[in-house]
Amino acid sequence: MTATSHDVINPATETVVTSVPLASVEETDAAIARARAAFPAWRDVAPGDRARLLRRFADAVDADRENLARIEVENAGHTIGNARWEAGNARDVIAYYAAAPERLIGQQIPVPGGLDVTIHEPLGVVGAIVPWNFPMPIASWAFAPALAAGNTVVLKPAELTPLTAIRLAELAREAGIPEDVFQVIPGAGTVVGQRFVDHPDVAKIVFTGSTAVGKQVMAGCAQHVKPVTLELGGKSANVVFADADLEAAAAAAPYGVFDNAGQDCCARSRILVEASAYDRFMELFETAVRGVVVTDPADEKAEMGPLISAGQRERVASYVGSDAPVAFRGSAPDGPGFWFPPTVLTPDDPADRVLHEEIFGPVVAVVRVADEAEAVRVANDSAFGLSGSIWTRDVGRAIRVSRAIEAGNLSVNSNSSVRYWTPFGGYKSSGLGRELGPDAPLAFTETKNVFIAT
Ligand code: NAD
């Protein structure tokens, strides 16, 4: 039997926070019907008025930032510092796309015999399916540009983390966005998510989650020739060359993989170190890993909290068996909570699964590479291609290696991948399409060409 509600568990204490009803197929259909009915009026809201409503929505999120952050600490075990950033990111993304309705500019193309213009028309109802690892940012990357382009949105949060999405929908209503224009529908992936994919009145799917489910979503969308954006898994490489500022690279490396307890699609979960710098890097890296503050995520000093669930901890632990090549580990609290210490592995076998599978926990594998060519080869020896880092003082090498690595988001002398101004997405099994950046609203439109004979 399908569950009708979900107990939300605080991952740091294992206590029940609240219980959230899960929508049925019938309730999902009713929500899609309301979104469909609300579409023509929302599409026809004057661009300046739609912009104003989105700016008010961003202001409402800003005013509620601390509350949203506290909810995420309790629901997802995110550190309070991270959760504040996430609420601020949702605000910024909504504010950024509030400028889009007035700038959805088409082209006038020179043709013989008349005037030719292109128009970006909204699609209708957009279905957004969101994972549990960054509930607020990932939701906003989907709904903000979709709403800005004139679509209505039905959004399904992950079963484990529905609370901030529910609050964001309340804030949208408080800001004056009509209720049926942006609806959050908590429910099971196989019920609500699957229905979004199968329902003929959902015009597009934007999915963030695992590669396995993403492939099913894409196959389902194919039945309707339904456009789909996929943001999937990663196994990103952090490449450290001997000419880099090794102190800076080693000090930053733990946060490039252990942030959000490693539950980050952009986690630099493979560190590739040029052989001549390997020993020095590992010495510095060990000090940095032991210094990561793993504690109660509500503590202002916390740098890493627990994993999301008991199941996730079991999955992560399966990669660190008794024979695992552990080089060193950080600390984690005892007692209740789904804790797992930062763990550094040094596998010998290039085929070792810790170098190829997304662990989605605080586990990193470090390997030696002989030179630039081997670094590029090993970095690309992955089914994934989401992000990655290159640490070097040689500008030419930074550019060569950035061009050579098959991934959508690379940083040089930095481990940060996400900026709402710039496009985000993956190569290979990491996804299809891009979110964020100036073009995101276009992913929620059809381009219509109109020729007017003169
Ligand atoms: P998941 O694939 O299990 O679930 C993602 C969402 O899909 C959830 O809301 C789930 O309920 C729903 N879902 C499950 N089955 C479905 C179905 N048959 N049809 C439609 N929807 C269904 O992923 P997760 O465990 O929640 O999230 C972790 C994964 O997300 C990791 O692989 C991570 O790399 C990936 N991720 C990717 C990005 C990115 O931008 N590339 C960002 C964050 C997370």
Side-chain angles (χ1 to χ4, degrees):
M1 208 183 76
T2 317
T4 54
S5 68
H6 174 80
D7 284 345
V8 172
I9 309 284
N10 180 331
T13 60
E14 302 184 36
T15 54
V16 176
V17 176
T18 184
S19 187
V20 173
L22 299 176
S24 63
V25 169
E26 293 71 27
E27 287 162 327
T28 308
D29 282 357
I32 294 168
R34 288 194 301 273
R36 177 72 211 164
F39 170 59
W42 180 246
R43 176 192 56 201
D44 293 342
V45 170
D49 292 335
R50 208 184 309 134
R52 216 179 331 274
L53 285 166
L54 288 168
R55 282 196 294 271
R56 273 196 217 146
F57 184 11
D59 288 346
V61 172
D62 189 52
D64 201 55
R65 211 148 35 98
E66 189 64 19
N67 176 49
L68 285 164
R70 296 278 164 198
I71 295 173
E72 208 66 283
V73 172
E74 214 180 13
N75 187 166
H78 291 193
T79 63
I80 181 66
N82 277 11
R84 286 188 186 122
W85 180 88
E86 291 159 25
N89 180 256
R91 170 206 56 202
D92 292 343
V93 168
I94 299 165
Y96 181 71
Y97 291 113
E102 295 171 294
R103 293 170 177 79
L104 267 183
I105 296 165
Q107 290 177 303
Q108 179 269 308
I109 300 172
V111 294
L115 179 73
D116 194 284
V117 291
T118 62
I119 304 168
H120 300 299
E121 305 269 23
L123 302 170
V125 181
V126 168
I129 303 172
V130 177
W132 46 258
N133 63 328
F134 287 109
M136 281 186 274
I138 291 171
S140 70
W141 304 353
F143 71 69
L147 292 172
N151 303 277
T152 57
V153 174
V154 287
L155 182 142
K156 193 200 86 63
E159 290 91 318
L160 293 171
T161 56
L163 300 185
T164 47
I166 292 171
R167 181 68 189 139
L168 286 169
E170 289 169 4
L171 293 167
R173 278 204 293 285
E174 285 172 21
I177 292 177
E179 190 169 356
D180 295 339
V181 166
F182 174 39
Q183 300 176 71
V184 167
I185 308 161
T190 48
V191 178
V192 179
Q194 186 71 51
R195 192 62 189 145
F196 288 1
V197 172
D198 293 338
H199 200 296
D201 281 345
V202 176
K204 162 153 189 168
I205 296 291
V206 47
F207 172 87
T208 303
S210 61
T211 298
V213 177
K215 286 178 183 173
Q216 291 173 31
V217 166
M218 189 172 174
C221 286
Q223 298 306 311
H224 302 268
V225 197
K226 187 179 289 194
V228 59
T229 299
L230 300 173
E231 297 288 0
L232 309 176
K235 191 73 193 174
S236 298
N238 181 359
V239 185
V240 181
F241 287 104
D243 66 13
D245 179 343
L246 290 182
E247 278 75 15
Y255 305 97
V257 57
F258 302 141
D259 189 58
N260 205 26
Q263 302 164 123
D264 183 340
C265 52
C266 292
R268 274 73 170 153
S269 55
R270 296 182 294 153
I271 303 182
L272 281 40
V273 187
E274 193 169 1
S276 59
Y278 183 87
D279 291 343
R280 177 68 183 140
F281 176 84
M282 287 302 264
E283 198 182 314
L284 294 163
F285 186 43
E286 178 165 2
T287 307
V289 170
R290 292 194 195 282
V292 176
V293 182
V294 184
T295 188
D296 173 6
D299 186 325
E300 297 283 340
K301 291 189 296 297
E303 292 181 321
M304 189 183 118
L307 291 165
I308 188 71
S309 65
Q312 187 65 9
R313 182 169 61 182
E314 215 171 284
R315 222 181 72 81
V316 172
S318 76
Y319 288 91
V320 192
S322 53
D323 57 346
V326 175
F328 43 86
R329 305 185 87 165
S331 64
D334 299 323
F338 308 123
W339 301 98
F340 199 88
T343 300
V344 179
L345 305 178
T346 48
D348 290 325
D349 180 358
D352 194 316
R353 71 185 187 121
V354 302
L355 287 168
H356 296 276
E357 296 175 17
E358 184 180 48
I359 300 175
F360 229 52
V363 178
V364 68
V366 188
V367 291
R368 274 172 225 261
V369 289
D371 53 20
E372 186 179 313
E374 191 182 11
V376 169
R377 189 181 57 69
V378 175
N380 288 339
D381 181 18
S382 175
F384 297 110
L386 189 55
S387 53
S389 301
I390 298 136
W391 292 79
T392 177
R393 286 191 172 98
D394 178 337
V395 178
R397 164 177 279 166
I399 294 169
R400 278 195 306 275
V401 177
S402 299
R403 297 294 300 268
I405 291 182
E406 298 155 353
N409 301 85
L410 293 163
S411 332
V412 175
N413 297 329
S414 157
N415 294 326
S416 84
S417 302
V418 171
R419 284 171 202 80
Y420 61 86
W421 308 271
T422 62
F424 177 79
Y427 281 35
K428 303 193 278 189
S429 292
S430 288
L432 190 70
R434 293 292 178 270
E435 296 191 286
L436 298 177
D439 297 334
L442 297 181
F444 298 98
T445 64
E446 287 281 12
T447 300
K448 180 177 284 176
N449 190 73
V450 178
F451 169 73
I452 305 152
T454 50

